[in-house]
Amino acid sequence: MWNRFIAGAALATLATAVAAQQPKPMQVPAAQHALYGTLKEIDLKSNTLVVTPLVGAAVTFKVDPRATRIHDFETSPTLARLAKKTGAGLVVHFAGHGTDLTAVELDYIGNQPMKVATGNIIRIEKLTRVIVIKTATGTEEKLQLALNAPIELATGLIAWDAFTGKLNEQVSLYYTEGRGHKEVRLIEAAAPVAS
């Protein structure tokens, strides 16, 4: 009996330690949006970032060298280092409207070609972070969601845990290919806000 109690306590402690080491999914504050594009320039004097989206004119964002977070770029990412990577792909998490936009987070894609798969949701696998869509040609596409990938709705960004995509809802999945699967870097379930 005592051995079972000790084994149970040890398993509970191990489970807690493993859960604490798991990467935390992003928490999205209210009224943020996201946009994919290529880095045109970062002006460190005026604290601005210019990104060219796949469709439409370049978009300018304000940046804060101390507050704008950068993911997937070097071990100690800074805007000054990122400024040297013109032409690289970025997903910009931003707040604001019209021409008054502030970049809150930047997901660095680099020179990996970004592709877009548009189709209707067939299935969402929450635990494995997989989304399956059927494209206009009738092909089923199974894609894996990257950890910090934002989900853009008409009302703003939401986290994966809150995403309740409906069967047959149309989405656009911005993804890169590598490591044997298609990795989604941005889901748009609504038209992009900044254009």
Side-chain angles (χ1 to χ4, degrees):
M1 175 97 174
W2 182 248
N3 287 343
R4 275 194 227 156
F5 174 74
I6 291 174
L11 283 174
T13 302
L14 178 61
T16 302
V18 169
Q21 292 178 2
Q22 296 298 316
K24 302 287 186 223
M26 75 171 190
Q27 300 298 315
V28 179
Q32 280 191 19
H33 295 280
L35 174 75
Y36 167 76
T38 55
L39 176 60
K40 187 173 180 183
E41 72 172 309
I42 294 177
D43 186 331
L44 297 170
K45 290 181 183 171
S46 64
N47 289 327
T48 56
L49 160 78
V50 181
V51 172
T52 305
L54 288 176
V55 178
V59 181
T60 302
F61 301 92
K62 290 183 238 171
V63 290
D64 182 339
R66 292 171 308 231
T68 303
R69 295 180 302 280
I70 305 170
H71 302 285
D72 302 323
F73 178 71
E74 300 183 355
T75 53
S76 54
T78 64
L79 288 170
R81 288 182 178 153
L82 187 60
K84 298 174 184 172
K85 300 289 185 179
T86 56
L90 292 175
V91 174
V92 181
H93 304 227
F94 65 93
H97 298 285
T99 57
D100 187 23
L101 305 175
T102 301
V104 179
E105 293 187 37
L106 304 172
D107 298 334
Y108 179 75
I109 308 298
N111 295 322
Q112 301 176 65
M114 182 68 78
K115 300 178 181 180
V116 183
T118 300
N120 295 331
I121 296 173
I122 296 174
R123 185 172 71 253
I124 293 175
E125 301 170 6
K126 286 289 195 171
L127 291 178
T128 56
R129 299 177 65 81
V130 166
I131 185 167
V132 182
I133 63 169
K134 183 178 277 189
T135 66
T137 62
T139 307
E140 284 191 18
E141 295 274 352
K142 182 177 182 177
L143 301 100
Q144 179 85 40
L145 190 73
L147 183 64
N148 286 314
I151 300 166
E152 174 73 33
L153 303 179
T155 54
L157 294 186
I158 62 168
W160 175 247
D161 292 344
F163 183 52
T164 56
K166 300 167 190 70
L167 192 63
N168 293 320
E169 177 181 8
Q170 188 173 31
V171 292
S172 293
L173 308 176
Y174 291 73
Y175 69 93
T176 55
E177 290 186 273
R179 295 181 288 204
H181 65 275
K182 296 176 179 179
E183 187 173 43
V184 177
R185 306 306 294 260
L186 168 64
I187 294 177
E188 281 183 353
V193 174
S195 58

